[in-house]
């Protein structure tokens, strides 16, 4: 089977628009963007608001403000790694990043 760039199915389901992914990740800050545990979803994106000792206050993507232990916070990869096919290329290879990448790739 050869690749046909005009095939609408391939454009809709298999092609990845890297420019659109970068626009979606415009709010990314390497020092503040993180994942924290979530009972329902496994991990949820968040942004670090403050740090006090071992406790970190994080504002989640849903608008909740939660305080978690620093050991429960996982770093988030830059937007250019969204939908990465080879996860060995991820900057931060942690459980949250792997699960997020798999969810982004297979639930779209």
């Amino acid at each position: 089977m050869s690749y046909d760039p005009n095939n609408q199915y391939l454009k809709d389901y298999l092609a990845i628009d890297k420019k659109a992914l970068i626009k979606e990740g415009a709010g990314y800050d390497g020092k503040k963007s993180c994942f924290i545990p979530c009972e329902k979803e496994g991990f949820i994106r968040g942004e670090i608001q403050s740090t006090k000792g071992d406790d970190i206050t994080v504002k989640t993507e849903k608008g909740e403000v939660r305080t978690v232990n620093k050991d429960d916070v996982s770093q988030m990869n830059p937007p250019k790694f969204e939908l990465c096919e080879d996860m060995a290329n991820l900057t931060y290879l942690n459980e949250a990043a792997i699960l997020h990448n798999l969810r982004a790739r297979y639930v779209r």
Side-chain angles (χ1 to χ4, degrees), residues 74-91:
S74 301
Q75 290 181 298
M76 184 187 252
N77 287 297
K80 71 178 185 175
F81 292 110
E82 282 289 315
L83 304 173
C84 182
E85 291 181 14
D86 184 0
M87 287 191 263
N89 293 331
L90 295 176
T91 303

Side-chain angles (χ1 to χ4, degrees), residues 44-76:
I44 190 168
R45 292 182 197 203
E47 185 174 289
I48 297 173
Q49 300 294 309
S50 65
T51 304
K52 186 175 184 181
D54 285 348
D55 293 331
I56 297 177
T57 303
V58 177
K59 182 176 182 181
T60 68
E61 64 184 351
K62 295 183 177 183
E64 303 172 19
V65 177
R66 294 179 39 193
T67 302
V68 295
N69 188 292
K70 70 177 182 178
D71 295 332
D72 293 332
V73 176
S74 301
Q75 290 181 298
M76 184 187 252

